[in-house]
């Protein structure tokens, strides 16, 4: 029985419970002072405060002294496009000349450029590159992450991406939750025949991915010049029949009704939501759908920021914030930077932000019962921060403030 004791924690801050937190509850964290955590075989066995220790120090294998710093649950990254060939630094000059994200995509670049490079890359190349990203994320405090396919747009390459994720989930300490996203872009041959491509996704790709247990969730880019609401609905209904959990890239650039659809279909999450309107927010609230907001994408696209204060205060929608790490609209996997943006641009409180990078994304990827809070019985995933409190963590940006990440009771 491997036992790890983390002692001398200045403040242990965490949301409580295994459910998504909405409205005023989004800002409710508990704060324990002079605390300690005992992790046995990867699971939290006891938490104490006010200088008490949960066990005799001689009983444990490893003692970690937090030296009076802040400890939180390991961060949960709820939205990434982690596996991809190449990069897209060549797009910056185009952007600076005024080309929009969808202009580049319509001209056959953008996502399609990454599709070509991902088809060319072999399994090992993608595995090694993704492994490097996972190492970097763990150093930055992330212990669980979601990752999407979507740069294959054919069965062979979509499966290659999902196989990379499956193997890394076995080999790497990171817990990875996979999302199948074959409806990420419309390849030239399917322009004007989008419904035929949707049918191909439903009839050929979904059954294979389901049968081989390659993904839990399905996602679609519901957007102007990509897939419309009607096509998205057919795709998501079929996906639901196969037993996939539903996610939608909605209202990123044009509000064409993606959030309304997400709410109506009771999707587990709707993602982006930069231009969401009142009808969209009402639908998400009714559907119990988590809003997965991605402020670093707004930053990188030079777009506006999702109306997160209204989501929390007026609609009581559970809000998660995530990186959207991908080569085109957010080439950063630093969730700490996302937290800074949550503070300054979304005007969330530090407590709301902690909920938005722990229990809410955990629920948004179906892991709320295992991770996302520091409570007895949950996984021993935590971070010791080079900060005394969340205010400091959300204020500093550009540095890695994680001193030590602990995954299932192991130092990583
Ligand atoms: O979430 N918007 C669609 N998909 C990604 C971007 C993918 C890319 O540009 O490579 C996003 O922003
Ligand atoms: Fe995305």
């Amino acid at each position: 029985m491997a036992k790890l004791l983390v002692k001398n924690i200045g403040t242990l801050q965490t949301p409580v419970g295994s459910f998504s937190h909405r409205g005023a509850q989004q800002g409710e964290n508990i704060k324990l002072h002079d605390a300690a955590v005992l992790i046995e075989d990867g699971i939290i066995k006891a938490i104490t405060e006010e200088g008490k220790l949960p066990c005799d120090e001689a009983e444990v294998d490893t003692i970690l002294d937090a030296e009076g710093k802040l400890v939180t649950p390991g961060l949960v990254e709820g939205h990434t496009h982690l596996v991809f060939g190449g990069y897209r630094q060549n797009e910056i000059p185009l952007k600076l000349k005024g080309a929009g994200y969808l202009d580049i995509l319509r001209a056959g670049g953008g996502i399609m450029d990454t599709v070509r490079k991902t088809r060319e890359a072999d399994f090992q190349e993608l595995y090694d590159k993704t492994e490097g990203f996972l190492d970097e994320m763990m150093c930055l405090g992330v212990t669980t992450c979601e990752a999407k396919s979507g740069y294959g747009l054919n069965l062979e390459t979509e499966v290659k991406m999902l196989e990379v994720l499956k193997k890394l989930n076995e080999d790497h300490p990171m817990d990875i939750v996979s999302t199948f996203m074959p409806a990420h872009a419309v390849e030239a041959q399917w322009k004007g025949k989008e419904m035929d491509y949707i049918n191909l996704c439903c009839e050929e790709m979904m059954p294979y991915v389901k049968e081989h247990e390659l993904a839990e969730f399905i996602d679609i880019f519901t957007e102007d010049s990509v897939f419309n609401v009607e096509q998205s609905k057919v795709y998501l209904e079929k996906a639901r029949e196969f037993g996939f959990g539903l996610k939608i890239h909605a209202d990123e650039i044009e509000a064409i009704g993606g959030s309304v659809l997400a709410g109506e279909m009771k999707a587990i999450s709707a993602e982006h939501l930069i231009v969401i309107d009142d009808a969209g927010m009402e639908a998400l609230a009714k559907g119990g759908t988590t809003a997965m907001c991605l402020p670093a994408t707004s930053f990188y696209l030079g777009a506006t920021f999702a109306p997160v204060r209204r989501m929390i205060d007026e609609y009581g929608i559970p809000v998660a914030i995530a990186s959207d790490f991908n080569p085109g609209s957010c080439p950063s996997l630093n969730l700490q930077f996302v937290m800074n943006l949550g503070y300054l641009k979304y005007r969330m409180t530090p407590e709301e932000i902690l909920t938005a990078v722990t229990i809410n994304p955990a629920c948004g990827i179906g892991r709320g019962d295992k991770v996302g809070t520091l409570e007895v019985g949950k996984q021993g995933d935590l971070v010791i921060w080079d900060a005394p409190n969340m205010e400091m963590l959300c204020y500093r940006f550009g540095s890695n403030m994680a001193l030590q990440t602990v995954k299932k009771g192991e130092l990583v």
Side-chain angles (χ1 to χ4, degrees), residues 11 14 44 83 86 88 95 102 110 155 221 236 241 300 320 326:
T11 301
T14 179
I44 298 174
V83 185
R88 305 227 296 273
K95 279 163 53 115
L102 291 178
L155 185 60
F221 192 12
L236 292 169
E241 278 174 34
Y300 190 75
N326 74 76

Side-chain angles (χ1 to χ4, degrees), residues 3-311:
K3 288 190 187 181
L4 170 75
L5 174 66
V6 187
K7 66 170 193 178
N8 201 12
I9 299 171
T11 301
L12 182 153
Q13 187 163 337
T14 179
V16 176
S18 298
F19 50 87
S20 52
H21 291 40
R22 61 194 72 208
Q25 209 171 38
Q26 172 114 23
E28 285 171 15
N29 301 163
I30 58 160
K31 295 173 194 177
L32 306 181
H33 300 290
D34 207 355
V37 180
L38 175 66
I39 303 171
E40 249 180 66
D41 288 333
I43 303 292
I44 298 174
K45 278 282 139 70
I47 299 177
T48 51
E49 59 182 319
E50 291 172 357
K52 292 188 201 95
L53 284 181
C55 63
D56 199 327
E57 292 191 33
E59 280 173 35
V60 302
D61 305 290
T62 313
I63 298 175
L64 194 54
D65 187 341
E67 295 178 351
K69 308 278 188 188
L70 171 72
V71 166
T72 69
L75 305 184
V76 179
E77 162 64 84
H79 180 140
T80 74
H81 304 257
L82 204 57
V83 185
F84 54 86
Y87 286 94
R88 305 227 296 273
Q89 70 279 25
N90 58 308
E91 286 177 8
I92 291 203
L94 302 174
K95 279 163 53 115
L96 296 181
K97 279 192 200 131
Y101 181 82
L102 291 178
D103 299 328
I104 297 172
L105 179 62
R106 281 188 213 106
I111 294 174
M112 288 314 304
D113 188 29
T114 303
V115 167
R116 285 185 285 275
K117 292 168 181 160
T118 308
R119 287 178 181 171
E120 275 163 27
D122 68 20
F123 179 93
Q124 196 56 44
E125 196 179 329
L126 292 173
Y127 179 100
D128 292 345
K129 185 170 168 182
T130 309
E131 184 182 37
F133 294 149
L134 292 172
D135 290 346
E136 200 183 332
M137 286 162 80
M138 280 214 137
C139 286
L140 289 161
V142 174
T143 48
T144 299
C145 84
E146 186 261 11
K148 303 173 198 292
S149 68
Y151 293 121
L153 312 185
N154 60 30
L155 185 60
E156 186 192 342
T157 309
E158 289 291 316
V159 166
K160 178 172 66 180
M161 296 178 73
L162 293 171
E163 297 273 19
V164 165
L165 292 169
K166 189 172 185 174
K167 185 80 174 71
L168 279 165
N169 193 32
E170 288 160 17
D171 299 350
H172 196 277
M174 183 78 77
D175 279 322
I176 304 170
V177 177
S178 293
T179 298
F180 180 41
M181 193 177 183
H184 192 198
V186 184
E187 207 178 347
Q189 70 193 92
W190 300 109
K191 289 262 159 74
K193 293 184 277 188
E194 286 80 3
M195 209 53 228
D196 293 344
Y197 180 67
I198 292 287
N199 288 335
L200 183 79
C201 293
C202 296
E203 282 153 30
E204 282 183 27
M205 300 201 212
M206 286 182 201
Y208 185 95
V209 169
K210 196 68 210 170
E211 191 193 332
H212 293 82
E213 296 181 354
L214 289 171
E216 276 175 60
F217 296 97
I218 199 125
D219 201 339
I220 182 163
F221 192 12
T222 303
E223 182 60 65
D224 176 38
S225 334
V226 194
F227 297 101
N228 65 29
V229 169
E230 193 191 327
Q231 292 151 359
S232 303
K233 196 169 175 193
V234 171
Y235 173 91
L236 292 169
E237 271 169 358
K238 196 71 193 173
R240 183 152 59 194
E241 278 174 34
F242 278 110
F244 291 106
L246 309 183
K247 292 175 171 282
I248 309 186
H249 275 60
D251 295 343
E252 179 179 358
I253 299 159
E254 301 287 343
I256 64 161
S259 303
V260 173
L261 180 66
E264 279 172 5
M265 296 201 69
K266 298 198 186 326
I268 191 163
S269 63
E271 330 227 328
H272 282 291
L273 313 175
I274 293 175
V275 293
I276 191 171
D277 56 14
D278 284 274
M281 288 192 269
E282 207 176 309
L284 295 189
K286 249 196 208 147
T289 300
T290 295
M292 193 75 77
C293 298
L294 313 168
T297 305
S298 287
F299 167 81
Y300 190 75
L301 293 180
T304 54
F305 287 81
V308 165
R309 277 265 53 97
R310 296 194 62 210
M311 291 180 191

Side-chain angles (χ1 to χ4, degrees), residues 315-385:
Y315 286 94
I317 298 166
V319 173
I321 59 176
S323 73
D324 191 25
F325 178 54
N326 74 76
S329 67
C330 186
S332 169
L333 47 66
N334 189 341
L335 198 51
Q336 294 175 40
F337 174 53
V338 170
M339 294 163 74
N340 305 132
L341 291 173
Y343 205 16
L344 288 169
K345 300 295 185 183
Y346 289 158
R347 298 184 296 116
M348 300 171 84
T349 66
E351 289 79 9
E352 288 170 339
I353 290 168
L354 186 61
T355 300
V357 291
T358 56
I359 190 62
N360 280 6
C363 292
I365 59 173
R367 292 292 184 281
D369 56 335
K370 291 197 170 64
V371 300
T373 66
L374 293 176
E375 291 176 276
V376 171
K378 286 228 176 161
Q379 269 183 27
D381 299 355
L382 58 82
V383 186
I384 303 176
W385 298 101

